[in-house]
Amino acid sequence: MKTFATYNIKGGVGKTATAVNLSYLAAHQGYRVLLWDLDPQGAASFLFRIRPRVKGGGKALIRGKRPMDDAIKATDFDNLDLLPADFTYRNLDLVLDAAKKPSRRLGSLLAPLSAEYDVIFLDCPPGISLLSESVLQATDLLLVPLIPTTLSVRTLDQLTEFLSSFDGSRPEILAFFSMIDRRKRLHREIAEQLPEERDDVAAVAIPALSLIERMAVERTPVTAFAPRSAAARRYAELWQEARERSKLPAPPAADTW
Amino acid sequence: MQSVLRHFVVNRDDEAEPGEFLSLPGSAFAISEAVRSVSLRRLWLDTFDWRLYRSGLTLEQISRRGTTDLVLTGRDGAILAADHGGSGPLKWPGQLEVLPLGPLRDHLGPVVGVRALLPVARAVSSLRENRVLNSDEKTIARITVDRMSVTYPAAGTVPPRVTVTALRGYQPQAQRLADQLAAAPGIADGSASGLEAALAVVGRRPGDYSSKINVQLTPRMPASAAMATVLTALLDTLEANVNGTVRDIDTEFLHDLRIAVRRTRSALKLAGDALPDGVAGRFRPEFKWLGDLTTPTRDLDVYLLGFSDMAASLVAATAEELEPFHDHLRWSRAAEQRLLVRGLRSARFARLSSQWRQALTAAATARTRPSVARLAASRIARAHRRVLRDGSAINATSPPESLHELRKRCKELRYLLELFGSLYDPGEQWRAVRELKTLQDCLGEFQDTQVQHEELRAFAEQMIAERTAPAATLLAMGEIAAGLILRQRQARSEFADRFRDFASPASQGRIRTLIGIGAA
């Protein structure tokens, strides 16, 4: 089992869109995928038409009082399950703080799911918190969407520095540009320059397209409702790169359909 | 992820869409148009004696869109192991070795054993899947409609089969949907198994062959009719195994055929007088001919089946040195198999089976005395007495022939207990034959090792005559010969204890109780 997380200190950079589309692509290839919508806003849950509610709230899950199994819901897509968001997730830091080894807690909750899933995606809320620290500890490959600004390099450096302070396991970083507007020269320049300079930045960039915004109307990943679109193709390239970097083995064979 | 919730059968003979025949007025759920459809060619595999089915397993080869998968499922339909056609389409019947190494073969190995897998049914399935949506337009379940046409073992059309699969996290809603469907007109609960459904429309059912004597006798039945019933069942078994023996699908066809012949011969010898006059005497030489016809191939099969164990037991020699012997066995078997096939295709065999069936049909209506219960009790008691008499006479200095004779007496007793087994309580029968089985195992080991030892000498002489035996091979065969003698001595040393157990008053009492003579 490999764990991926979409994460950025900033909000509104395309974390959920990435998590939703990459989870769908992985499931479509035959991997058994679980997406955990950790953001109390519940955007990923909304996109899959699943009500953002977990019985007992985040507290029961984190404390292990309610088995993860019970809270998991199937999406409309084969091989893709979702652990929904819950509004109580906004207090997860407090719950984690009260737990033993809070930064390892998420990892130990996910470990038993390895028999059932090949891939886990964690869609994280923005910010630096105990929750994000716990997510980073549990993750194999961290997908970091960057808005093409001069500050984006600084954000990435900060994150790398933060990770280097970790004891033991720390995730590999795969940053990529998101919401690129090809008409803007600055966007183009930054998006071309940075991948050449840094190994941890992917060459593929996700464009700012209205089709991606349409996901909220369709309530379906763009990779599912417009699989041949430019947006879907970029996500597929990003997933390919994430697969290779994480050394994810080939998926099991497809089922009947 | 999803789990199968319930199966239904649609008892409506039309081509309606599921949205029509599954329409649920007033329901909170909406059924979508078919979202996907697929056509599958399905082939179910099992051994001739249904070993997978009897173990609650189903092995299905599914071909679609140029791909072929082999899927093994358990009783609840859960997939236990699968092979996704990496090695290309497979030819059936075939031994397990045609499958690539992996979990599927590992799973099947202990169940299938030495038997081949062969097609038991073929069908073409047209599957259409509809989604069931709740008020959020979220899918909570899937409904699959399977329209299946059976093409083997005969042609037939299965009524549409509907499967409701709950999506994870939505079981309660899916259950409500299934309950609504169950109450809809023209829909009835159905079976989970595609194989059972496919065979049912062509008038068969899985598990309809067994090498066991599967008849039900009643104590007051006239002995002649009872004998005809048992012998007809044995003839059915014999005939069922001819094709597989001739095609050489696996070794167990011949094995089952031989057991049917041996049981028939024992029945004719020990209770043939219950049949109309002259019948037993007329057919006994013919069944002896048939038994003798099958012996050489079976003996070589036994050698070949045990060959890898034999090679592994070598201490001084290596398995490679034994290889020319292996080749010799294979060639000899191929030659014997040709003779066997010729015999089974001969006019003499065809005459034997047709005339024997006619004779049994006539015997079935003969009103003879005594009843089968009395016949069985007297013959079993006599056979039991003979085993006790001959066994008691054996001491440390008795020649091997006396043990061979005793083995025959034991077999006769065992066959009688099996032929008339349906008259008795199964539990009591099992207890009664427990010590007999142990004694038979000991005598079998004693005699088989001796026969194999003698055969080994004969093989060695043949190989020398044919100049196919290098010195190293003969030495390796010598080592095997020594191993056989050691096993034979071990069996001989265990005989006295085994016979004492069999002849104990408690064991004797169990046989008497079984046949209703009363404890000694």
Side-chain angles (χ1 to χ4, degrees):
Chain A
M1 183 178 81
K2 293 280 182 193
T3 305
F4 300 82
T6 50
Y7 174 72
N8 196 315
I9 299 167
K10 275 171 68 60
V13 294
K15 289 189 294 292
T16 296
T18 306
V20 162
N21 282 293
L22 266 51
S23 325
Y24 169 78
L25 288 167
H28 191 63
Q29 284 176 344
Y31 293 105
R32 299 165 301 163
V33 183
L34 175 69
L35 167 60
W36 190 353
D37 183 0
L38 281 162
D39 190 338
Q41 292 182 65
S45 307
F46 173 83
L47 286 174
F48 284 115
R49 299 171 191 265
I50 293 173
R51 292 184 184 176
R53 196 178 307 140
V54 172
K55 265 191 196 160
K59 201 182 195 172
L61 280 185
I62 297 289
R63 288 191 176 168
K65 286 194 172 165
R66 182 178 168 78
M68 306 274 278
D69 269 5
D70 279 9
I72 293 173
K73 303 263 181 190
T75 68
D76 286 12
F77 303 102
D78 288 339
N79 301 323
L80 178 52
D81 289 353
L82 181 109
L83 192 53
D86 189 276
F87 199 55
T88 61
Y89 284 2
R90 70 191 189 282
N91 300 322
L92 280 187
D93 262 24
L94 295 174
V95 181
L96 279 170
D97 200 29
K100 281 183 198 163
K101 295 184 182 167
S103 61
R104 306 269 167 88
R105 188 69 197 125
L106 222 59
S108 54
L109 282 172
L110 295 175
L113 297 172
S114 64
E116 215 177 328
Y117 296 101
D118 308 309
V119 170
I120 291 197
F121 269 94
L122 304 172
D123 184 25
C124 306
I128 288 193
S129 60
L130 204 47
L131 172 64
S132 44
E133 204 177 319
S134 194
V135 164
L136 298 176
Q137 295 264 13
T139 297
D140 295 302
L141 185 71
L142 193 64
L143 293 151
V144 185
L146 300 173
I147 301 289
T149 66
T150 42
L151 286 177
S152 57
V153 183
R154 201 176 120 75
T155 313
L156 191 54
D157 284 340
Q158 278 177 334
L159 182 60
T160 313
E161 200 183 316
F162 178 54
L163 286 177
S164 67
S165 70
F166 280 18
D167 299 334
S169 73
R170 55 183 82 138
E172 197 185 334
I173 292 181
L174 178 61
F176 60 95
F177 284 105
S178 170
M179 305 170 106
I180 288 253
D181 186 345
R182 289 269 164 207
R183 291 166 304 182
K184 292 183 182 164
R185 209 178 92 202
L186 185 68
H187 274 202
R188 286 202 308 273
E189 281 175 7
I190 294 177
E192 278 159 23
Q193 198 185 341
L194 207 58
E196 285 176 13
E197 290 172 3
R198 299 186 58 137
D199 274 352
D200 55 359
V201 180
V204 56
I206 309 297
L209 292 172
S210 58
L211 200 60
I212 295 176
E213 288 167 27
R214 259 196 85 73
M215 289 202 308
V217 180
E218 299 282 343
R219 296 182 76 176
T220 303
V222 65
T223 37
F225 74 78
R228 291 196 182 85
S229 64
R233 287 206 302 270
R234 294 297 92 75
Y235 278 122
E237 287 163 25
L238 180 61
W239 170 236
Q240 177 63 22
E241 178 134 16
R243 253 183 76 179
E244 284 167 11
R245 293 233 185 176
S246 66
K247 299 185 178 65
L248 183 66
D255 68 359
T256 305
W257 301 94
Chain B
M1 315 289 157
Q2 47 195 26
S3 58
V4 170
L5 203 64
R6 203 150 158 187
H7 298 275
F8 297 102
V9 177
V10 181
N11 298 317
R12 283 173 52 151
D13 189 19
D14 61 26
E15 291 292 310
E17 284 291 310
E20 295 168 39
F21 62 74
L22 301 178
S23 67
L24 300 168
S27 169
F29 304 110
I31 296 174
S32 73
E33 293 290 301
V35 285
R36 46 189 178 182
S37 61
V38 67
S39 180
L40 309 175
R41 275 180 295 125
R42 313 173 72 171
L43 166 67
W44 287 273
L45 296 153
D46 207 329
T47 63
F48 187 67
D49 53 357
W50 299 96
R51 290 182 184 192
L52 297 182
Y53 178 76
R54 291 182 207 283
S55 307
L57 301 171
T58 305
L59 180 62
E60 188 176 350
Q61 179 177 286
I62 304 166
S63 306
R64 67 179 163 286
R65 300 184 192 121
T67 65
T68 298
D69 299 324
L70 264 178
V71 183
L72 181 70
T73 47
R75 272 199 182 88
D76 56 359
I79 295 176
L80 302 173
D83 176 69
H84 298 286
S87 49
L90 301 168
K91 285 218 169 78
W92 306 108
Q95 297 283 344
L96 219 47
E97 286 73 45
V98 303
L99 291 177
L101 290 172
L104 180 62
R105 194 161 141 183
D106 293 347
H107 224 107
L108 290 169
V111 185
V112 168
V114 297
R115 294 233 69 157
L117 290 167
L118 56 161
V120 291
R122 279 178 209 274
V124 177
S125 262
S126 168
L127 297 180
R128 292 173 76 101
E129 189 188 80
N130 301 61
R131 297 188 309 174
V132 182
L133 307 174
N134 65 11
S135 54
D136 293 336
E137 293 186 40
K138 167 76 183 79
T139 309
I140 55 115
R142 299 179 200 279
I143 292 182
T144 311
V145 182
D146 178 359
R147 293 174 195 274
M148 185 159 71
S149 303
V150 183
T151 55
Y152 174 84
T157 304
V158 180
R161 300 168 65 243
V162 176
T163 304
V164 176
T165 309
L167 260 62
R168 184 172 188 168
Y170 296 93
Q171 271 85 355
Q173 292 183 45
Q175 187 59 56
R176 281 210 301 280
L177 166 89
D179 292 344
Q180 290 170 9
L181 277 181
I187 293 183
D189 272 313
S191 113
S193 159
L195 174 60
E196 281 170 340
L199 288 178
V201 291
V202 297
R204 280 195 61 183
R205 59 182 172 78
D208 59 5
Y209 169 83
S210 161
S211 63
K212 293 204 173 76
I213 301 171
N214 194 11
V215 295
Q216 187 54 57
L217 304 179
T218 50
R220 291 182 169 192
M221 227 170 160
S224 155
M227 286 295 287
T229 305
V230 171
L231 289 165
T232 304
L234 289 172
L235 178 59
D236 290 341
T237 304
L238 190 163
E239 288 182 342
N241 283 288
V242 169
N243 183 35
T245 303
V246 167
R247 290 171 64 198
D248 206 7
I249 290 171
D250 66 41
T251 56
E252 302 313 284
F253 285 96
L254 175 59
H255 184 50
D256 282 5
L257 187 151
R258 270 173 67 75
I259 289 179
V261 172
R262 285 215 306 245
R263 283 173 170 161
T264 304
R265 291 179 66 191
S266 290
L268 288 177
K269 179 180 171 189
L270 302 166
D273 56 332
L275 293 169
D277 283 348
V279 169
R282 197 174 126 213
F283 285 96
R284 277 181 67 184
E286 287 307 286
F287 279 105
K288 179 176 187 317
W289 163 76
L290 185 55
D292 291 347
L293 178 71
T294 59
T295 300
T297 308
R298 177 62 195 173
D299 283 353
L300 288 157
D301 278 344
V302 171
Y303 250 109
L304 285 163
L305 288 169
F307 197 86
S308 53
D309 285 347
M310 206 155 64
S313 73
L314 291 171
V315 179
T318 65
E320 289 74 39
E321 287 167 349
L322 213 51
E323 206 43 43
F325 176 45
H326 197 209
D327 291 341
H328 177 80
L329 288 173
R330 282 201 305 252
W331 293 329
S332 307
R333 188 198 179 273
E336 290 299 343
Q337 170 73 11
R338 281 194 292 276
L339 294 176
L340 171 62
V341 170
R342 202 177 301 162
L344 291 175
R345 285 182 173 155
S346 66
R348 184 174 181 181
F349 177 72
R351 209 163 43 236
L352 165 61
S353 71
S354 70
Q355 291 182 355
W356 180 228
R357 195 173 286 280
Q358 280 170 16
L360 292 174
T361 309
T365 52
R367 308 288 308 168
T368 55
R369 293 165 68 87
S371 69
V372 63
R374 283 188 57 193
L375 175 79
S378 73
R379 299 304 152 93
I380 290 171
R382 188 163 73 191
H384 187 209
R385 279 197 306 275
R386 281 179 177 167
V387 174
L388 290 171
R389 183 194 66 203
D390 290 5
S392 306
I394 292 173
N395 58 33
T397 60
S398 300
E401 290 71 29
S402 58
L403 279 90
H404 300 340
E405 283 304 311
L406 179 63
R407 186 189 185 195
K408 286 186 200 165
R409 299 291 85 75
C410 286
K411 275 189 177 174
E412 287 169 359
L413 174 58
R414 178 78 175 276
Y415 284 144
L416 285 170
L417 288 166
E418 287 172 353
L419 294 174
F420 299 118
S422 64
L423 293 171
Y424 309 121
D425 175 73
E428 274 185 23
Q429 195 192 7
W430 181 82
R431 282 187 290 278
V433 299
R434 206 168 34 187
E435 286 93 359
L436 174 60
K437 273 182 174 169
T438 318
L439 176 61
Q440 280 188 289
D441 289 344
C442 174
L443 291 167
E445 173 82 352
F446 179 80
Q447 191 180 3
D448 290 346
T449 46
Q450 179 171 354
V451 170
Q452 286 187 4
H453 183 256
E454 285 163 8
E455 283 175 345
L456 200 59
R457 283 187 79 98
F459 288 138
E461 279 161 15
Q462 278 170 25
M463 289 170 74
I464 288 171
E466 292 163 6
R467 295 169 192 261
T468 54
T473 304
L474 291 173
L475 285 169
M477 290 168 74
E479 204 185 321
I480 286 172
L484 289 168
I485 294 300
L486 284 176
R487 277 171 53 194
Q488 194 190 17
R489 283 184 190 158
Q490 175 69 26
R492 184 69 178 84
S493 73
E494 287 170 4
F495 168 75
D497 285 347
R498 297 291 89 81
F499 185 74
R500 192 185 317 116
D501 291 344
F502 173 78
S504 72
S507 170
Q508 289 194 39
R510 279 192 284 271
I511 290 197
R512 291 202 183 98
T513 307
L514 180 80
I515 57 177
I517 297 184

